[in-house]
Amino acid sequence: MIEILTANTPNGKKITIMCEEIGFEYKVTKINIYKDEQFNPKFRAISPFSKIPVIIDHDNNTSLFESGAILMYLGEKSGKFYPKDERHKINQWLMGQMGYVGPMLGQHHQFHHYNPGKSEWGEKRYFKIAKTIYKDLDERLEKSKFLAGDYSIADIATFPWIARHEWHDVGLKNFKNLSRWYRDISKREAVIKGFDLLKREEKIPGV
Ligand SMILES: N[C@@H](CCC(=O)N[C@@H](CS)C(=O)NCC(=O)O)C(=O)O
């Protein structure tokens, strides 16, 4: 059984979506990051950067932090959405999400959505990067139905970030291929279930 220690944020949603997709038995333990529960020493023992999500695989008493590493682990363990012969291709898009798409859109949330008017420089910089990310993803999805060919953990990692498109103000509908990808994934039963598992309880300053 997989225990997911998480909160209702894009990085957290990746893992509830993945568990729904692969059909593993799982339970969710909520970490209230707005009440600093991520700094609790017991949690920090399995999450050294004090971040959600984390999983504990109770089948073998293993814990893992970092959403990309967790998706790879669950993909390997289930044999789903992370085929062995496509891993190098999937890893590129997964790492691109982890190192670029997520962190940059996260900064855009900070400047554009949560703190408008505080830094013109920050707002402009991350708005420009957000638009570039949409354009680059759209270009990729013109050539490929999903990011790395077939639906994979790279799409699962990227979807919850694009799901915040209203905050981004970039105009998702202007990106034909990205919109098609977004619509296709939104319709998946596992995505619908996993995405909203933890309903938003309050305005989140950190994502
Ligand atoms: N690279 C990490 C990022 C995780 C992350 O930033 N988690 C945020 C919520 S989405 C968090 O735990 N924030 C609490 C804090 O920064 O104190 C991952 O993908 O797992």
Side-chain angles (χ1 to χ4, degrees):
M1 193 266 293
I2 305 289
E3 180 176 357
I4 314 174
L5 297 91
T6 190
N8 193 33
T9 71
N11 290 321
K13 287 170 191 287
K14 293 173 186 174
I15 311 305
T16 45
I17 289 173
M18 181 65 174
C19 281
E20 287 293 334
E21 288 282 17
I22 59 182
F24 274 10
E25 188 197 346
Y26 72 96
K27 77 166 184 182
V28 167
T29 299
K30 264 169 109 170
I31 302 297
N32 192 334
I33 58 174
Y34 323 114
K35 291 195 174 154
D36 285 349
E37 287 177 7
Q38 69 275 34
F39 301 110
N40 177 320
K42 210 172 141 205
F43 182 72
R44 292 202 73 235
I46 52 173
S47 182
F49 294 123
S50 310
K51 306 275 184 228
I52 65 90
V54 170
I55 62 162
I56 302 171
D57 184 343
H58 289 283
D59 296 347
N60 54 19
N61 224 9
T62 301
S63 72
L64 276 163
F65 63 94
E66 277 295 324
S67 59
I70 297 170
L71 288 173
M72 290 160 101
Y73 176 81
L74 294 173
E76 276 175 27
K77 182 165 170 147
S78 64
K80 290 183 179 162
F81 309 113
Y82 194 39
K84 259 199 183 122
D85 53 351
E86 295 292 313
R87 280 186 192 161
H88 58 284
K89 205 198 289 175
I90 295 169
N91 288 348
Q92 298 175 105
W93 292 97
L94 180 65
M95 295 304 138
Q97 190 292 314
M98 295 298 298
Y100 177 56
V101 174
M104 294 300 116
L105 292 180
Q107 293 307 308
H108 183 47
H109 291 176
Q110 286 300 320
F111 287 104
H112 183 77
H113 181 74
Y114 288 120
N115 298 290
K118 285 202 182 146
S119 165
E120 196 188 332
W121 180 85
E123 280 182 55
K124 274 194 182 150
R125 172 176 164 80
Y126 292 104
F127 209 152
K128 189 172 168 203
I129 294 176
K131 284 183 197 156
T132 306
I133 288 172
Y134 273 58
K135 183 176 87 38
D136 293 343
L137 289 175
D138 193 65
E139 270 176 31
R140 169 61 184 166
L141 293 164
E142 187 179 4
K143 296 187 213 108
S144 180
K145 189 162 187 319
F146 294 101
L147 289 171
D150 290 333
Y151 181 64
S152 75
I153 58 172
D155 301 291
I156 295 173
T158 307
F159 176 82
W161 284 95
I162 300 302
R164 289 268 156 89
H165 61 91
E166 283 177 7
W167 291 10
H168 302 156
D169 260 344
V170 172
L172 177 61
K173 65 176 186 323
N174 301 324
F175 298 86
K176 203 175 76 199
N177 309 295
L178 184 60
S179 296
R180 185 258 312 143
W181 170 90
Y182 181 73
R183 270 195 315 273
D184 286 352
I185 297 177
S186 316
K187 286 185 210 145
R188 296 178 70 90
E189 209 177 304
V191 172
I192 295 168
K193 248 177 126 179
F195 188 84
D196 261 342
L197 205 82
L198 290 172
K199 287 268 181 216
R200 202 166 190 76
E201 283 163 1
E202 54 189 298
K203 202 174 166 188
I204 306 165
V207 291

